[in-house]
Amino acid sequence: MDLSDLRREYSRAGLHRDELDADPYKQFEVWFNQAKDAGLIDYSALSLATASADAFPTVRTVLLKLFDHNGFVFFTNYKSTKSLQIEENPRVSMLFHWLPLERQVIINGTASRVTALESMKYFATRPRGSQLGAWVSPQSSVVSSRRLLEGKLRDALKKLAGGEVPMPEHWGGYRIKPESIEFWQGRENRLHDRFRYINPTEGNHWEVERLAP
Ligand SMILES: Cc1cc2nc3c(=O)[nH]c(=O)nc-3n(C[C@H](O)[C@H](O)[C@H](O)COP(=O)(O)O)c2cc1C
């Protein structure tokens, strides 16, 4: 299929240096809320890129569950491919694509496990089905059939008989501490606005640079 004619101009808005918050977390919050207010579906979804120690990259979608000045948190299975790669090489890249707003945000940084207490707090808020799913799915492993997974779910349901579902040890969160955060706003003639925050200091001071589109 030839897609060479498939294109559109981006002209909704510009991004000006004097509108940017000095604090990229606050700037992220503004854009995050605008994605929410625009009614974008799954606006908390991001593409998470990880790479193994031998530099083989993989990417997948995860959901952002928390962000503050300590970083950006998602939850997963600690035995999954992404987790094994993070344990080998904690440098990751995150991409939020809010395409109806002609925006993307790219965050590069280092991932580390959140505390078990933080994971437990979040695990407790998950619907029961998702809690059980965390037990029965050996995420990223080859499985012979869906029937096998459904059987394991039925067994777990019987075993727990309505009781509280404990958090599996192999499940929890990662927090990404950013080293750079780029805000991208589409503009006419492909002259998009790109601002990247870099070199964070302990006191949350960042340098801001404009990148060519
Ligand atoms: C919208 C969406 C949200 C997802 N959220 C998560 C998530 O928060 N955590 C997670 O482990 N997997 C999530 N997944 C599944 C992952 O994309 C992926 O299939 C899974 O984590 C296994 O990835 P891995 O084998 O690369 O580790 C989500 C998928 C989609 C499409």
Side-chain angles (χ1 to χ4, degrees):
M1 193 187 300
D2 180 356
L3 303 174
S4 49
D5 279 346
L6 189 62
R7 64 171 65 86
R8 68 183 175 101
E9 275 292 298
Y10 299 123
S11 55
R12 277 182 65 98
L15 182 62
H16 307 284
R17 191 181 275 265
D18 55 10
E19 293 168 358
L20 289 174
D21 201 295
D23 178 346
Y25 294 97
K26 288 202 184 136
Q27 183 63 40
F28 182 83
E29 191 173 355
V30 169
W31 275 29
F32 191 81
N33 284 331
Q34 287 173 351
K36 177 182 166 191
D37 295 343
L40 301 196
I41 193 158
D42 295 331
Y43 59 90
S44 65
L46 63 122
S47 298
L48 173 80
T50 57
S52 57
D54 59 358
F56 192 91
T58 58
V59 66
R60 79 289 291 155
T61 310
V62 294
L63 296 179
L64 183 71
K65 288 295 166 185
L66 180 95
F67 66 93
D68 58 21
H69 285 98
N70 295 316
F72 295 79
V73 176
F74 70 93
F75 291 88
T76 193
N77 184 313
Y78 284 144
K79 293 183 178 167
S80 64
T81 300
K82 74 181 88 48
S83 299
L84 299 181
Q85 292 197 342
I86 287 172
E87 301 297 328
E88 280 182 18
N89 167 18
R91 308 195 78 187
V92 303
S93 190
M94 306 165 80
L95 168 65
F96 292 86
H97 15 74
W98 295 316
L99 301 186
L101 299 182
E102 302 172 354
R103 286 177 174 172
Q104 62 176 347
V105 176
I106 300 168
I107 300 173
N108 294 335
T110 304
S112 57
R113 288 188 185 200
V114 304
T115 64
L117 191 66
E118 272 184 276
S119 295
M120 276 177 199
K121 264 198 195 153
Y122 171 65
F123 190 78
T125 69
R126 299 186 91 204
R128 191 175 171 77
S130 309
Q131 291 179 332
L132 289 166
W135 275 105
V136 302
S137 166
Q139 193 178 61
S140 314
S141 305
V142 175
V143 285
S144 56
S145 70
R146 175 166 192 92
R147 209 147 48 96
L148 184 107
L149 291 175
E150 286 171 352
K152 278 170 79 176
L153 185 62
R154 271 193 304 276
D155 292 347
L157 276 167
K158 260 193 238 152
K159 209 166 133 192
L160 285 156
E164 203 173 292
V165 184
M167 185 181 79
E169 257 179 41
H170 61 259
W171 193 92
Y174 283 103
R175 173 173 281 109
I176 286 99
K177 197 171 164 36
E179 285 160 24
S180 69
I181 306 183
E182 179 194 330
F183 293 86
W184 184 102
Q185 177 75 60
R187 296 294 301 269
E188 302 83 1
N189 306 314
R190 299 297 186 256
L191 291 185
H192 315 301
D193 288 323
R194 301 177 63 189
F195 287 101
R196 182 168 65 186
Y197 293 71
I198 52 163
N199 294 335
T201 62
E202 280 298 316
N204 195 35
H205 177 80
W206 298 68
E207 286 166 41
V208 180
E209 52 193 12
R210 181 188 271 275
L211 300 176

